[in-house]
Amino acid sequence: MESLITIQNATKKYKNKVVFRNVNLNISKGSSYGFVGYNGCGKSVLFKAICGFSLLTEGEIRYQDKVIGKDIDFIENTGVIIETPEFLNDLSGYRNLVQIAEIKNIISPEEIEGILKKLSLWDDRNVKVGKYSLGMKQKLRIAQAIMEKPEILILDEPMNGLDKNSVELVRNILKEHVINGGTLLLTSHNKEDIDILCENIYEFDNGELIAIQNKEEHIA
């Protein structure tokens, strides 16, 4: 498979604390990767480094032969959920997505409408985000991540706050993303999410990244 992201000898330290060390990983186009481990083990920090939000202490991360933090600042064509985005609470969910979409201007209002319908948010499109429930805000985050049809999804605990039906809905959306040739990087405290969605599973153990499952076939 075509290598999309290459992580080489990646180490991240905060002062004297080692978050992770000597991480080596090839992320292939059209594959899915799950990352597990206790809270604070380094999953989110690795995701931030891959996205370009946090620089490594040692090593490098390449996206299509470009070093992140040197040749490019961020990976383009990526949908990300890592930290809570600053939605505008006084605007509706629909208006928030419209404003975000205007940055790149590559999708139409009709496509935003379609995403809101896909995530069962259309009926509440005119409700101000400040009045959204936790689950609704989480689905809006997912809508933001997927609405421009990115090549890569990097999602840190995307199921947080979702009810059973919404979890199933999002799982199906993520399956569809990979089946259509997209790449998925995922963390979840729910082992079932990882087992269902990810071909390749890695665990952080005392700062080291260990492969615990690798599959050749695609999820179906």
Side-chain angles (χ1 to χ4, degrees), residues 86-92 96 127-131 137:
E86 294 298 327
F87 288 125
L88 298 174
N89 286 330
D90 289 336
L91 293 183
S92 67
N96 267 277
V127 176
K128 292 182 178 180
V129 169
K131 295 183 178 180
K137 287 180 179 178

Side-chain angles (χ1 to χ4, degrees), residues 88-147:
L88 298 174
N89 286 330
D90 289 336
L91 293 183
S92 67
Y94 176 75
R95 291 305 309 169
N96 267 277
L97 293 190
V98 167
Q99 287 205 351
I100 294 167
E102 286 174 349
I103 296 171
K104 293 183 178 179
N105 199 29
I106 60 174
I107 59 172
S108 67
E110 290 76 20
E111 288 173 296
I112 296 172
E113 175 182 336
I115 288 296
L116 289 172
K117 288 179 176 178
K118 195 169 190 176
L119 283 159
S120 301
L121 287 173
W122 182 245
D123 289 346
D124 297 301
R125 63 190 179 279
N126 294 322
V127 176
K128 292 182 178 180
V129 169
K131 295 183 178 180
Y132 271 23
S133 67
L134 178 61
M136 290 169 66
K137 287 180 179 178
Q138 189 69 356
K139 287 196 289 185
L140 193 65
R141 297 176 72 195
I142 294 166
Q144 176 190 350
I146 70 173
M147 67 181 182

Side-chain angles (χ1 to χ4, degrees), residues 75-93:
I75 297 179
E76 294 183 356
N77 202 12
T78 302
V80 177
I81 295 177
I82 295 181
E83 295 178 337
T84 303
E86 294 298 327
F87 288 125
L88 298 174
N89 286 330
D90 289 336
L91 293 183
S92 67

Side-chain angles (χ1 to χ4, degrees), residues 11-28:
T11 295
K12 181 65 177 182
K13 301 176 183 178
Y14 288 118
K15 296 184 179 180
N16 295 323
K17 180 183 178 181
V18 177
V19 181
F20 54 76
R21 59 181 176 273
N22 297 326
V23 171
N24 292 278
L25 180 63
N26 286 320
I27 295 170
S28 299

